[in-house]
Amino acid sequence: NPYILATLLFGLGLGTTITFASSHWLLAWMGLEINTLAIIPLMAQHHHPRAVEATTKYFLTQATAAAMLLFASTTNAWLTGQWDIQQMSHPFPLTLITLALALKIGLAPMHTWLPEVLQGLDLTTGLVLSTWQKLAPFALLLQIQNVNPTILVTLGLASTLVGGWGGLNQTQLRKVLAYSSIAHLGWMILILQYSPSLTLLALLTYFVMTFSTFLVFKLNKSTSINALAISWTKAPILTSLTPLVLLSLGGLPPLTGFMPKWLILQELAKQDLAPLATLAALSALLSLYFYLRISYAMTLTMSPNNLTGVTPWRFSSPQLTLPLAIVTTATISLL
């Protein structure tokens, strides 16, 4: 029903906007709750058992994170007597809030729900979950000051490593994208303390690249690596562009995805954190391996009994192809 859909999308926007605009912890928490409640019907709309399972998992983790956040902010108000987001000073609620937000966006070691949930959704809702749903917790993470740098660096490094190792073993594209999301978020958290503007740049480029990848897979109607082998017959031009999009997501120069990683490594080196930068760069190689694997499956393998004479699918929906053209170009050549 378009009215219900419009209401839910409005709720999704409203929740994020409330969190963006709030300086009081209760309001921020309320925005996050509205956001969660709005996306849950969108996730369960297909009434498929897998989708319902994913929705339930998502709801439980988000409710846990929100409860932690509420508990931490009330503890902070109890200890320091104020609710202001910017003025956090006590280490205990600060740590707790950081962990709650990490659980909200799926940073390692609180990441285990993300691949499971993403695997149960269709690609459009998965895209919303990978991009829009990360904005509100990120706004809060950017606003809290003087959090212990060790926590953020540990979370970031763990996420890049887990995102790399986890994706190696997957054949399902949505799970691969979930692990890729964890790895990218790890990079953003690594640099959060030292250069918030770089975090925002990384977030923005990640959004563009993820948009592009999800739309390509949606257009191909493919959800596993095996389904990619027959994409030559469906859309030859798209298939020849997709490896570039995937390698950009992996952070290979001279594609757009390389830019934030390059700047983050540079900033880490400036802060005398060369060992950390080295570890992060090596973990990026892990991610690059599975992007290469998907690119290989897509471009260099032809599936057997492939009827090349079959008329390719016709793409005539401008609401899908126009954004796809824009974000793919941006992903490949914004650097």
Side-chain angles (χ1 to χ4, degrees):
N1 188 329
Y3 296 115
I4 294 176
L5 184 67
T7 311
L8 290 174
L9 290 175
F10 174 71
L12 210 58
L14 181 72
T16 306
T17 315
I18 287 177
T19 308
F20 272 13
S22 58
S23 58
H24 190 290
W25 273 116
L26 266 182
L27 266 175
W29 168 80
M30 194 175 75
L32 290 171
E33 284 295 280
I34 292 173
N35 209 345
T36 307
L37 289 177
I39 200 172
I40 277 176
L42 291 174
M43 292 167 82
Q45 64 184 342
H46 291 297
H47 301 299
H48 188 273
R50 193 71 188 80
V52 174
E53 179 194 342
T55 311
T56 312
K57 285 176 178 171
Y58 182 75
F59 175 67
L60 290 172
T61 48
Q62 296 299 310
T64 311
M68 264 174 81
L69 191 84
L70 191 61
F71 172 65
S73 49
T74 40
T75 311
N76 179 55
W78 179 46
L79 291 169
T80 60
Q82 45 83 24
W83 286 90
D84 200 55
I85 294 179
Q86 306 263 351
Q87 307 293 331
M88 297 280 290
S89 53
H90 202 283
F92 174 66
L94 260 175
T95 309
L96 211 53
I97 277 178
T98 312
L99 291 177
L101 291 171
L103 178 60
K104 267 230 175 270
I105 54 179
L107 286 168
M110 284 83 79
H111 67 281
T112 35
W113 60 273
L114 187 60
E116 295 290 321
V117 168
L118 207 57
Q119 181 56 32
L121 305 178
D122 67 318
L123 289 165
T124 320
T125 324
L127 176 62
V128 173
L129 185 68
S130 299
T131 55
W132 186 256
Q133 291 301 93
K134 306 258 189 269
L135 283 173
F138 236 94
L140 293 176
L141 268 175
L142 278 165
Q143 281 181 73
I144 51 176
Q145 307 295 326
N146 53 35
V147 62
N148 187 353
T150 322
I151 296 174
L152 287 180
V153 163
T154 313
L155 282 171
L157 203 54
S159 299
T160 52
L161 287 165
V162 163
W165 283 120
L168 293 179
N169 205 17
Q170 302 299 333
T171 55
Q172 297 292 331
L173 291 177
R174 283 168 294 186
K175 279 195 175 173
V176 167
L177 286 169
Y179 282 110
S180 132
S181 170
I182 295 166
H184 278 273
L185 287 168
W187 278 87
M188 292 169 218
I189 295 296
L190 268 182
I191 201 67
L192 188 65
Q193 279 278 277
Y194 311 107
S195 171
S197 51
L198 267 187
T199 300
L200 283 174
L201 176 76
L203 189 68
L204 190 68
T205 45
Y206 164 71
F207 276 12
V208 171
M209 296 185 298
T210 309
F211 236 91
S212 180
T213 320
F214 268 98
L215 289 179
V216 163
F217 291 154
K218 190 174 168 56
L219 214 49
N220 262 336
K221 293 187 169 57
S222 45
T223 52
S224 74
I225 291 187
N226 291 343
L228 285 177
I230 55 168
S231 58
W232 267 117
T233 43
K234 298 178 192 171
I237 300 167
L238 195 65
T239 310
S240 50
L241 275 180
T242 313
L244 286 174
V245 170
L246 287 163
L247 293 177
S248 179
L249 205 54
L252 207 67
L255 304 163
T256 307
F258 172 58
M259 174 181 56
K261 288 191 174 171
W262 180 21
L263 294 170
I264 286 172
L265 290 174
Q266 188 187 357
E267 183 62 37
L268 285 172
K270 268 187 199 160
Q271 301 284 347
D272 289 336
L273 294 170
L276 188 65
T278 314
L279 273 171
L282 288 173
S283 69
L285 288 176
L286 292 167
S287 309
L288 197 60
Y289 174 79
F290 60 78
Y291 295 124
L292 267 172
R293 182 166 155 230
I294 300 177
S295 313
Y296 173 81
M298 205 162 180
T299 50
L300 297 175
T301 54
M302 287 286 274
S303 70
N305 63 35
N306 202 351
L307 302 169
T308 34
V310 177
T311 318
W313 296 358
R314 299 282 174 232
F315 302 133
S316 56
S317 62
Q319 67 267 27
L320 188 56
T321 43
L322 181 67
L324 178 67
I326 297 168
V327 286
T328 305
T329 315
T331 303
I332 292 170
S333 57
L334 254 186
L335 175 65

